[in-house]
Amino acid sequence: GNSVTQMEGPVTLSEEAFLTINCTYTATGYPSLFWYVQYPGEGLQLLLKATKADDKGSNKGFEATYRKETTSFHLEKGSVQVSDSAVYFCALRPNSGNTPLVFGKGTRLSVIA
Amino acid sequence: DAGVIQSPRHEVTEMGQEVTLRCKPISGHDYLFWYRQTMMRGLELLIYFNNNVPIDDSGMPEDRFSAKMPNASFSTLKIQPSEPRDSAVYFCASSASYRGDTEAFFGQGTRLTVV
């Protein structure tokens, strides 16, 4: 079946530190991959996405590259800010049909000044 | 567009009472999803609809849970009777059916507390 595994949190970083949140997936076929972010008290928002192998999604300084050979979609940011504190979810959506997103369990990031 | 609208934002109820959560999807979207989020289990898909028809309700935890979508602009999730273990944040999301890469748009959620 389809599944997403992401690193357990919480992750605590100092402002301006480098961020990596690992995400790997299992899927039949070639899914689209997503990172969603959930700020405190809010719903999930799409952060970035990639639809095929070697695509790089980017937004707000965050990047992730669709790696088919390692079935990974790691999230990175070169210099985090306090305002990046949130829960980050990796997700996939199979391209074989119109089916729901499959989410990882989420990784909580806390950035301290 | 105002996005996906959920009501109420917060609900506190006593065990045994009926609870109804409401969702208005984005206009033109033909898929609607109900998710539940808890610390222990993370984000779980409960049920989803396509063109107002339930497609998969295998995530609905028990018969106490039911969901309806009487038209393209409204859906409800009902819990009857409610129990303390139903306490969670419930999210509604909607999407268009064009391609598998289409993102889902989430509402702000309803935080349910059953005491």
Side-chain angles (χ1 to χ4, degrees), chain B:
Chain B
D1 198 319
V4 176
I5 300 173
Q6 292 187 245
S7 64
R9 289 292 311 276
H10 302 274
E11 177 80 38
V12 180
T13 190
E14 292 186 347
M15 183 174 64
Q17 296 298 305
E18 177 180 297
V19 176
T20 299
L21 312 182
R22 297 173 176 80
C23 175
K24 177 179 166 53
I26 292 173
S27 177
H29 282 189
D30 55 350
Y31 275 79
L32 185 139
F33 310 92
W34 282 101
Y35 288 88
R36 177 171 71 174
Q37 185 179 35
T38 61
M39 290 293 292
M40 291 297 295
R41 301 172 71 92
L43 202 58
E44 304 173 274
L45 176 69
L46 300 177
I47 184 172
Y48 75 98
F49 296 82
N50 177 222
N51 291 324
N52 315 338
V53 176
I55 303 300
D56 185 353
D57 65 355
S58 60
M60 297 284 262
E62 299 171 35
D63 290 346
R64 299 184 295 106
F65 286 70
S66 63
K68 294 183 179 179
M69 192 165 186
N71 57 62
S73 59
F74 184 65
S75 177
T76 59
L77 178 67
K78 186 177 293 186
I79 308 172
Q80 165 63 18
S82 58
E83 296 182 4
R85 59 194 168 117
D86 302 330
S87 297
V89 181
Y90 291 81
F91 288 105
C92 176
S94 70
S95 72
S97 64
Y98 313 124
R99 296 192 311 271
D101 63 347
T102 302
E103 68 184 272
F105 294 81
F106 281 75
Q108 293 206 303
T110 295
R111 181 174 295 277
L112 173 65
T113 303
V114 183
V115 297

Side-chain angles (χ1 to χ4, degrees), chain A residues 3-85:
Chain A
S3 66
V4 174
T5 302
Q6 59 182 106
M7 62 188 287
E8 301 244 349
V11 174
T12 302
L13 295 174
S14 298
E15 210 165 20
E16 299 184 4
F18 184 86
L19 169 71
T20 299
I21 301 178
N22 290 338
C23 171
T24 57
Y25 67 89
T26 302
T28 52
Y30 304 102
S32 291
L33 302 174
F34 306 83
W35 277 101
Y36 278 78
V37 59
Q38 183 180 27
Y39 298 105
E42 298 186 12
L44 280 71
Q45 306 172 25
L46 180 70
L47 180 60
L48 54 85
K49 67 180 182 183
T51 60
K52 59 184 188 295
D54 300 325
D55 268 3
K56 178 186 284 188
S58 60
N59 186 26
K60 300 181 181 180
F62 290 89
E63 293 183 340
T65 301
Y66 189 142
R67 300 284 188 203
K68 184 175 149 221
E69 61 277 10
T70 54
T71 61
S72 65
F73 192 55
H74 304 322
L75 182 68
E76 296 182 336
K77 186 175 185 183
S79 176
V80 293
Q81 305 301 312
V82 173
S83 57
D84 294 326
S85 298

